[in-house]
Amino acid sequence: MISESNRSVHTAAPHERWLPRPSLRFVAVWRRNLRVWRKLMVPSLIGHFGEPILYLLAFGYGLGALIGEVSELPYIVFIASGILCSSAMFAASFEGLYSAFTRMHVQQTWAAMLAAPLEVDDIVLGEAIWAASKALISAAAIGCVAVVLGLLSPWGVLLALPLIWLICLAFACMALIVTAVSPSYDFFLYYFTLILTPMLLLSGVFFPLEQLPSLVVSLAYLLPLAHMIEIIRPLVTGGALHVGLLLHLLVPIAYTAVAFCIASWLFRRRLLR
Amino acid sequence: MPEPSTESQQTDAPHRAAEGTRVAEGADAGNTSQECAVLAEALSKRYGDQTVVDRITLAVERGECLGLLGPNGAGKTTTLRMILGLTPYDAGSLQVLGEPIPARAREMRARMGVVPQMDNLDPDFTVRENLFTYASYYGIDRSEAARRVDELLAFANLEEKAQASIASLSGGMKRRLTLARALINAPELIVLDEPSTGLDPQARQHIWQKLRALQRQGLSLLITTHYMEEAERLCDRVAIMDHGRIVACGKPGALIAEHLERYVIELRGDAARHFLATHESQVAPARIREIGETVLLYADQPMPIAESLDGHGLTYLQRPTNLEDLFLQLTGHDLRE
C-alpha cells in the first residue's frame, strides 16, 4: 500500500537522524517554562538573590579584608565578577538537570508535548534556551546587587548579560546530555562531582588561574567556565577590552553546538523507542 | 501513493487543523487510504529478540470507533505509540489520516488527539491554563484558543473548575480534562489508551457519554481497553490482540456468534464441581471450561442442561455469551502479569 516513494521519506524519520532538526515550535516549550516560572517567581528570585549574596558578603568582605587586591582589583570586585559567572553556570545546569528531568520523567510533560506536533528536537532546544534564560535571570539578579553595592560597572553588566545567556547555552546543553542518560536524580551527583565542582574551583572564580600549575590551567581552558570568566570579568570590572577576548566565545559556542547534537540524539534514542 | 511533501503543505498542516477544517482537499484527495483514519499493514515491532507486535494489519475507518482489546503485554500500547509516530517499527507500513508514519508524524499529530493511559496534565497550571498551554503547542493563536478553551470546558463540564489546580481535581475530572485537551486542535482522530481505567462507575459513565457524543460528531476513535463492557458500549468494531497478534477483528456481535455458542451457564463452588464430576453425561452437549472457582458451560441449547441442574437443586446463572467470553476464549484463561 505504501509505495517506494515513502520509503525514502521514511529514512528521514526523527529516530534515524544523526543531527537534530528543531523547528520554531521550540518557542512554545520555552514559553511554557516561562509561564510556570512566572507563577513561582518570588521563591525563585529569592534563591537567585540570596545565595550568591551570601557568598559575595562572606568571601568578599570576610576574606577580602585579608587578601586585599587580586589581579589589580579589590578582592570583592574580583569575586563578584566570578560569582556572576559561576552562579549563571549553576542556574543553567540545575535547570537542565533537575527541572528538565522532572518534566521529562516525573511529570511526563514532554510526553504530552510529543503527542502534539512537537518533536524531541524542539523540546531539547526549548529546554536549552530556557535553561540559559534562567542563567540570564540569575546573572541579572546578582548583577543588580553588585551594581547597587558599587562593585561592578552598570554598563558592563548590561553588555555582559547577552553574552552570559549565549555562553550558558553551553552549560545547558551539557546538563541535558547528563539528563538524557540519567535513570534518576541521584545520577546528577556524578556530574557535579566530576565536572561542575572542579570547573567552579579551577576556572578563576575565587582566585586567578595563574596561581595553579600550568597543566591544571590547560585543563581548565578545555572547559567553558574559564573562557566565560576571561570575557565577562574585564567587561564588568572596567578592565582592558580587546577584540581578542571574543576568541574565548568560540569555546562555549563549540560546546553548545556539539552538546546540543549529542543531547538531542540521546533524547531521541531514549524517547522514541 | 504520491508523497505530499511540498514545503507549503508542511507548514500549512497545523494551521489547517487549527481552523478546524477537515483535510479532504489537496494532494491526498482521491487516494484510497484517505478513507481510513488508520491503516496498518503487516506492522511489526521487536525489542531485542522479543517480538512485541507481530505483523498486525489493522484499519480504522473514518467515523468509526475501533476497540483494541488484549491482556496486559499484548502489544496494545506499543501499537498506539507506533501510530503516533513515537515508536519506530521494524517492518510493515503505516498511514494515519493519509500521512505516512513516522515520516510525516508531526503533520499527522497536528490533526489528531491523544488521551494517554497516565494523566500527564501540567501540575503547575490551573485547568484553564492547561488547555491554553496545550493550544500553544499547536500554534493556535490566543483569541482562537480562548474561544476553544471555553467550548471545551463546557463540553467537559469543568466550567466551575476553570481556575482550580490539577491536584484538586478528582480522577474523573482529570480524565475529562485530558479528553478536552486532546480536542483542542479539533482533531479528526482521537486515540485513547485505557480511557476509563481507575475511574469509579459514575465517572466512567460520564466519560463514555462524552466519547459517544464525539462519535456522533463524526470523529474516528481508536480505544484500547481491557474492560469488555466499555468495548461493547462504545466500539463499532473490536480487534482482539494477544502476544502481539490480532487474533480476531470484527463487530462484537458477529465475532461472538462466530467463535462461541449462544448461551453460557455459570456455576460456582464445590457442589457444582462435584456434580460435574459425577454427572458429566447430563451436561454432555455443553463445552465445559473452568476458571478458578467458576465453571462455565457453553451451549446453543441451554434448556436441557438447565433443567438437569434444576433437578439437582444447583444454583446457576444462565446468560447470552458476551465479549468477555470471547476475550477469554481467544486469549486463554491464564493470568497475565
Side-chain angles (χ1 to χ4, degrees):
Chain A
M1 196 80 211
I2 296 179
S3 62
E4 288 307 307
S5 62
N6 288 329
R7 283 279 161 229
S8 57
V9 178
H10 183 120
T11 56
H15 66 280
E16 289 170 332
R17 291 202 296 259
W18 285 101
L19 291 174
R21 204 185 294 167
S23 75
L24 273 178
R25 286 184 192 268
F26 82 86
V27 178
V29 179
W30 181 84
R31 282 181 54 200
R32 180 242 164 238
N33 290 347
L34 178 69
R35 252 180 259 144
V36 174
W37 180 79
R38 283 210 315 245
K39 296 191 76 163
L40 309 165
M41 190 165 58
V42 174
S44 170
L45 276 180
I46 289 172
H48 282 310
F49 277 106
E51 206 185 280
I53 292 172
L54 284 175
Y55 270 96
L56 203 60
L57 296 179
F59 282 95
Y61 289 112
L63 207 56
L66 302 173
I67 294 172
E69 290 212 336
V70 172
S71 303
E72 296 166 16
L73 292 170
Y75 186 63
I76 191 163
V77 173
F78 179 87
I79 201 164
S81 56
I83 286 175
L84 184 69
C85 297
S86 65
S87 293
M89 172 183 85
F90 275 109
S93 303
F94 267 99
E95 196 64 24
L97 297 170
Y98 293 91
S99 309
F101 189 77
T102 303
R103 290 190 280 269
M104 171 183 69
H105 190 74
V106 183
Q107 289 180 190
Q108 295 285 318
T109 311
W110 291 12
M113 291 171 171
L114 287 173
L118 288 165
E119 298 283 357
V120 174
D121 296 347
D122 304 330
I123 297 174
V124 178
L125 182 60
E127 290 286 354
I129 293 183
W130 168 247
S133 307
K134 280 288 289 275
L136 179 69
I137 294 167
S138 159
I142 300 161
C144 276
V145 174
V147 166
V148 167
L149 292 176
L151 303 175
L152 301 180
S153 123
W155 291 113
V157 170
L158 217 53
L159 278 174
L161 288 178
L163 292 178
I164 289 174
W165 178 84
L166 181 69
I167 294 165
C168 283
L169 279 174
F171 299 122
C173 292
M174 289 162 71
L176 284 168
I177 291 179
V178 180
T179 302
V181 295
S182 182
S184 71
Y185 292 115
D186 300 326
F187 187 78
F188 298 146
L189 277 179
Y190 291 113
Y191 184 59
F192 274 88
T193 313
L194 296 174
I195 306 286
L196 286 180
T197 308
M199 198 155 47
L200 171 72
L201 295 176
L202 305 176
S203 297
V205 176
F206 300 108
F207 52 84
L209 268 182
E210 301 86 74
Q211 302 295 315
L212 295 166
S214 61
L215 177 68
V216 179
V217 176
S218 324
L219 289 177
Y221 276 117
L222 289 177
L223 290 167
L225 183 61
H227 297 277
M228 180 180 192
I229 289 174
E230 290 283 353
I231 310 166
I232 301 297
R233 180 167 280 149
L235 197 57
V236 296
T237 59
L241 296 175
H242 52 90
V243 183
L245 286 180
L246 288 176
L247 284 179
H248 285 291
L249 272 181
L250 293 178
V251 174
I253 288 172
Y255 263 89
T256 301
V258 174
F260 177 69
C261 291
I262 296 173
S264 308
W265 183 79
L266 287 170
F267 278 122
R268 263 179 274 138
R269 210 181 55 155
R270 177 172 183 153
L271 300 170
L272 306 178
R273 56 190 302 275
Chain B
M1 60 164 265
E3 170 55 28
S5 63
T6 59
E7 276 303 312
S8 69
Q9 263 195 329
Q10 291 204 7
T11 47
D12 236 43
H15 182 64
R16 277 188 299 186
E19 286 172 351
T21 53
R22 299 282 177 257
V23 187
E25 74 280 5
D28 280 344
N31 185 338
T32 49
S33 66
Q34 189 64 21
E35 290 152 25
C36 286
V38 177
L39 183 60
E41 288 185 341
L43 205 58
S44 292
K45 176 66 187 174
R46 285 182 300 275
Y47 288 115
D49 50 11
Q50 196 194 355
T51 302
V52 200
V53 173
D54 193 3
R55 286 164 289 157
I56 64 164
T57 291
L58 183 71
V60 182
E61 308 286 335
R62 293 271 178 171
E64 173 185 52
C65 176
L66 182 88
L68 198 54
L69 316 185
N72 288 333
K76 304 188 297 290
T77 300
T78 306
T79 303
L80 289 196
R81 280 185 59 86
M82 289 193 286
I83 287 171
L84 295 180
L86 296 178
T87 291
Y89 48 88
D90 297 305
S93 70
L94 177 60
Q95 282 190 32
V96 182
L97 299 174
E99 303 280 12
I101 305 301
R104 283 176 56 83
R106 179 205 288 272
E107 289 77 2
M108 183 279 295
R109 288 202 299 266
R111 293 160 51 202
M112 79 174 303
V114 180
V115 177
Q117 195 171 338
M118 284 193 301
D119 288 316
N120 54 20
L121 296 161
D122 221 317
D124 298 310
F125 290 133
T126 64
V127 168
R128 176 180 283 275
E129 287 167 340
N130 257 281
L131 294 175
F132 260 111
T133 304
Y134 215 67
S136 76
Y137 300 156
Y138 290 87
I140 301 171
D141 71 55
R142 208 160 165 87
S143 60
E144 173 65 12
R147 192 182 64 73
R148 287 211 205 155
V149 167
D150 288 337
E151 237 175 65
L152 289 171
L153 285 174
F155 171 78
N157 303 108
L158 288 168
E159 288 142 307
E160 284 163 24
K161 291 281 177 183
Q163 307 302 330
S165 72
I166 298 306
S168 71
L169 300 183
S170 70
M173 290 176 184
K174 280 184 195 166
R175 203 58 58 88
R176 295 204 307 272
L177 178 57
T178 307
L179 178 61
R181 192 184 69 173
L183 296 169
I184 196 81
N185 57 327
E188 296 158 61
L189 164 73
I190 319 180
V191 167
L192 304 102
D193 198 0
E194 302 191 7
S196 68
T197 298
L199 299 186
D200 63 33
Q202 287 83 355
R204 183 174 298 171
Q205 290 288 347
H206 200 156
I207 204 102
W208 288 345
Q209 191 192 328
K210 297 298 167 198
L211 293 178
R212 274 196 296 270
L214 293 174
Q215 227 182 325
R216 280 195 298 274
Q217 291 171 26
L219 265 78
S220 313
L221 268 65
L222 175 58
I223 298 182
T224 75
T225 183
H226 38 226
Y227 293 115
M228 297 306 135
E229 195 196 349
E230 181 163 88
E232 238 159 0
R233 277 170 185 243
L234 291 176
C235 301
D236 302 311
R237 286 190 311 140
V238 295
I240 298 180
M241 262 188 108
D242 197 21
H243 300 298
R245 295 194 176 177
I246 291 179
V247 290
C249 184
K251 291 190 163 69
L255 282 180
I256 293 165
E258 180 187 338
H259 290 271
L260 288 174
E261 296 80 356
R262 288 170 61 204
Y263 292 95
V264 61
I265 293 174
E266 282 187 30
L267 291 158
R268 289 210 173 87
D270 290 337
R273 206 159 300 136
H274 179 73
F275 170 80
L276 282 180
T278 50
H279 298 77
E280 205 177 335
S281 62
Q282 297 196 11
V283 296
R287 195 164 50 85
I288 304 169
R289 301 216 105 187
E290 287 188 43
I291 310 171
E293 287 278 277
T294 309
V295 180
L296 298 170
L297 306 173
Y298 291 97
D300 284 323
Q301 304 292 336
M303 284 309 286
I305 302 165
E307 278 164 13
S308 155
L309 293 172
D310 280 333
H312 289 81
L314 290 164
T315 45
Y316 60 88
L317 171 70
Q318 183 191 320
R319 57 173 176 77
T321 47
N322 61 23
L323 206 49
E324 183 122 15
D325 296 306
L326 176 69
F327 185 77
L328 291 172
Q329 169 84 10
L330 294 176
T331 64
H333 297 111
D334 302 333
L335 194 60
R336 305 295 172 86
E337 304 290 357

